């Protein structure tokens, strides 16, 4: 019996692959239902990780209709609104909304396999194996490690521009059909197109507990081009503060019988490598394969530690690249292969 704590992408993927291979598992999720809270934005699903997991789960063909056409396109601007780089993607990393992917995984599981409104705080369920798939602030992590996420020095303000083709046509044109970066002097506007909105993160270097408000954004991005500032000023609804945290690069633990971790619970990192969801899906597939084969847990853990450390270093390096004094030069050179 396997208890999976957390119904995020990694936990659900693990449950799905175990289910199709006849291994009993239960997913415990604190949320009351699948729609209890919003589920983030667009994800690029990589061929060598996330897509491999979808194939192992028998869901790859169901995933393809969820892909946003043209979502791989990329634009990079400076703070003056000058387009410094543009491409159409085509790099084997199709974009899909996190909610659509999560809904696909939920619908692939039998009724009752997910136990909603089941918050695991002090007492864990009885099981042969407990898998912590409970995200950045994992409760299960404390059973194997004393590591805690640390502030990465960057804060996001999350914003939305709804129905952009009608209500925000200039911003829709600016962002395009995929993703956009506008960077300068330790600040950035990061946006991507979703089916019904533009999803925007206003990002900047800040101290850990500094307030993240509309007034702070106005001061922080003063002097930027008006076309870029519309992404902040014309946002619909309230902004959501998102301080960025990460576990130490190379986080690992000694084997603990009956407990392991996957995804952000194991290797939380900043989003600047686009690896978080893909690693969670990959972890799930690798852990499932280990369990199905009856191999020791450290077979999965040792390989997971290696790939997570590499991605965490890439993420930290890309954060510095994007928020360097000469940005966006480094990112432009990165996309051009220099």
């Amino acid at each position: 019996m396997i208890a999976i704590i957390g119904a995020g992408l990694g936990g659900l993927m693990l449950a799905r692959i175990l289910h199709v291979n006849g291994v009993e598992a239960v997913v415990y999720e604190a949320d009351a239902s699948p729609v209890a809270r919003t589920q983030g934005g667009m994800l690029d699903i990589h061929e060598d990780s996330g897509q491999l997991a979808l194939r192992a789960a028998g869901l790859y063909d169901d995933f393809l209709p969820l892909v946003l056409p043209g979502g791989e396109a990329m634009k990079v601007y400076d703070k003056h609104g000058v387009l410094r780089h543009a491409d159409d993607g085509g790099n084997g990393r199709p974009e899909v909304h996190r909610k659509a992917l999560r809904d696909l995984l939920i619908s692939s599981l039998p009724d009752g396999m997910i136990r909603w409104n089941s918050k695991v705080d002090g007492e864990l369920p009885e099981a042969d194996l407990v898998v912590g798939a409970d995200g950045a602030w994992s409760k299960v992590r404390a059973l194997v490690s004393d590591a805690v996420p640390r502030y990465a020095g960057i804060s996001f303000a999350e914003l939305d521009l709804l129905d952009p083709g009608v209500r925000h046509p200039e911003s829709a044109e600016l962002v395009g059909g995929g993703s956009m970066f506008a960077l300068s002097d330790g600040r950035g506007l990061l946006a991507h197109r979703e089916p019904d909105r533009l999803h925007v993160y206003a990002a900047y270097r800040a101290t850990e507990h500094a307030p993240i408000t509309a007034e702070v954004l106005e001061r922080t991005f003063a002097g930027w081009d008006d076309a870029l500032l519309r992404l902040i000023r014309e946002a619909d609804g309230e902004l959501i503060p998102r301080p960025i945290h990460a576990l130490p690069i190379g986080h690992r633990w000694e084997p603990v019988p009956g407990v392991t971790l996957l995804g952000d619970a194991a290797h939380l990192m900043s989003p600047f490598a686009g690896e978080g969801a893909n690693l969670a899906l990959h972890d799930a597939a690798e852990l499932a394969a280990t369990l199905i084969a009856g191999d020791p847990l450290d077979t999965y853990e040792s390989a997971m530690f290696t790939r997570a450390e590499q991605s965490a270093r890439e993420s930290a390096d890309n954060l510095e690249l994007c928020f360097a004094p000469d940005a966006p030069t480094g990112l432009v050179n990165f996309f051009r292969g220099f």
Side-chain angles (χ1 to χ4, degrees), residues 148-152 244-249 267-270 315:
V148 294
R150 301 169 183 166
Y151 180 61
I244 303 302
H245 293 79
L247 284 166
I249 295 172
H267 43 64
L268 178 68
M269 61 192 70
S270 80
S315 176

Side-chain angles (χ1 to χ4, degrees), residues 161-181:
L161 280 71
L162 304 178
D163 194 12
V166 174
R167 301 183 63 235
H168 308 285
E170 298 92 348
S171 295
E173 178 66 24
L174 182 80
V175 173
S179 299
M180 181 214 83
F181 285 77

Side-chain angles (χ1 to χ4, degrees), residues 180-235:
M180 181 214 83
F181 285 77
L183 303 170
S184 179
D185 306 321
R187 296 164 287 169
L189 294 173
L190 324 175
H192 53 250
R193 184 66 182 255
E194 296 184 6
D196 64 344
R197 69 190 63 199
L198 301 177
H199 199 64
V200 179
Y201 295 100
Y204 56 97
R205 293 193 184 273
T207 56
E208 182 171 4
H209 301 295
I212 304 171
T213 66
E215 293 76 16
V216 169
L217 296 186
E218 280 289 336
R219 294 196 300 269
T220 300
F221 291 90
W224 282 47
D225 186 79
D226 284 343
L228 296 169
L229 291 176
R230 274 198 290 266
L231 296 174
I232 298 173
R233 292 170 176 166
E234 296 184 3

Side-chain angles (χ1 to χ4, degrees), residues 9-18 21 48-58 131 262-263 277-293 300 304 307:
L9 298 181
L12 293 169
M13 179 60 77
L14 176 60
R16 166 65 183 182
I17 298 176
L18 292 176
N21 285 277
D48 59 353
S49 52
Q51 291 182 44
L52 288 180
L54 285 161
R55 292 181 187 278
V131 180
L262 63 74
N278 285 283
L279 282 173
L281 295 170
H282 194 183
D283 290 350
E286 293 295 303
L287 178 54
T290 299
L291 297 174
I292 292 163
Y300 153 74
M304 180 266 289
R307 65 174 172 266

Side-chain angles (χ1 to χ4, degrees), residues 6-279:
L9 298 181
L12 293 169
M13 179 60 77
L14 176 60
R16 166 65 183 182
I17 298 176
L18 292 176
H19 170 64
V20 298
N21 285 277
V23 179
E24 185 178 1
V26 174
V27 181
Y28 296 86
E29 170 54 48
D31 285 349
S33 75
V35 296
R37 57 191 173 93
T38 58
Q39 292 296 317
M42 302 300 291
L43 303 170
D44 55 329
I45 305 300
H46 304 175
E47 286 180 318
D48 59 353
S49 52
Q51 291 182 44
L52 288 180
L54 285 161
R55 292 181 187 278
L59 295 174
Y60 183 75
D61 289 341
D62 297 300
F63 155 75
L64 292 176
L66 305 179
V67 171
L68 179 68
E72 293 181 71
M74 173 64 68
K75 292 183 175 183
V76 181
Y77 295 90
D78 62 23
K79 70 178 183 180
H80 305 294
V82 176
L83 183 64
R84 299 281 297 276
H85 173 80
D87 65 62
D88 293 327
N91 55 7
R93 296 183 169 191
E95 296 273 342
V96 62
H97 198 281
R98 180 184 292 270
K99 181 181 183 300
L101 183 55
R102 185 173 187 248
D103 287 348
L104 171 63
L105 288 165
I106 291 171
S107 67
S108 76
L109 299 176
D111 290 344
M113 194 170 182
I114 305 172
R115 298 188 183 175
W116 300 100
N117 204 26
S118 297
K119 189 173 184 179
V120 175
D121 237 338
E123 188 172 335
L124 293 174
E126 290 187 12
D128 299 304
L129 175 66
V130 174
V131 180
D134 48 342
W137 305 104
S138 169
K139 302 293 187 182
V140 181
R141 186 191 298 127
L143 300 177
V144 299
S145 168
D146 60 2
V148 294
R150 301 169 183 166
Y151 180 61
I154 296 289
S155 287
F156 285 5
E158 182 178 352
L159 306 158
D160 284 308
L161 280 71
L162 304 178
D163 194 12
V166 174
R167 301 183 63 235
H168 308 285
E170 298 92 348
S171 295
E173 178 66 24
L174 182 80
V175 173
S179 299
M180 181 214 83
F181 285 77
L183 303 170
S184 179
D185 306 321
R187 296 164 287 169
L189 294 173
L190 324 175
H192 53 250
R193 184 66 182 255
E194 296 184 6
D196 64 344
R197 69 190 63 199
L198 301 177
H199 199 64
V200 179
Y201 295 100
Y204 56 97
R205 293 193 184 273
T207 56
E208 182 171 4
H209 301 295
I212 304 171
T213 66
E215 293 76 16
V216 169
L217 296 186
E218 280 289 336
R219 294 196 300 269
T220 300
F221 291 90
W224 282 47
D225 186 79
D226 284 343
L228 296 169
L229 291 176
R230 274 198 290 266
L231 296 174
I232 298 173
R233 292 170 176 166
E234 296 184 3
D236 300 297
E238 297 296 319
L239 68 81
I240 302 173
R242 300 284 190 199
I244 303 302
H245 293 79
L247 284 166
I249 295 172
H251 175 236
R252 59 191 66 212
W253 57 88
E254 294 298 319
V256 175
V259 185
T260 194
L261 308 175
L262 63 74
D264 284 351
H267 43 64
L268 178 68
M269 61 192 70
S270 80
F272 291 96
E275 291 285 358
N278 285 283
L279 282 173

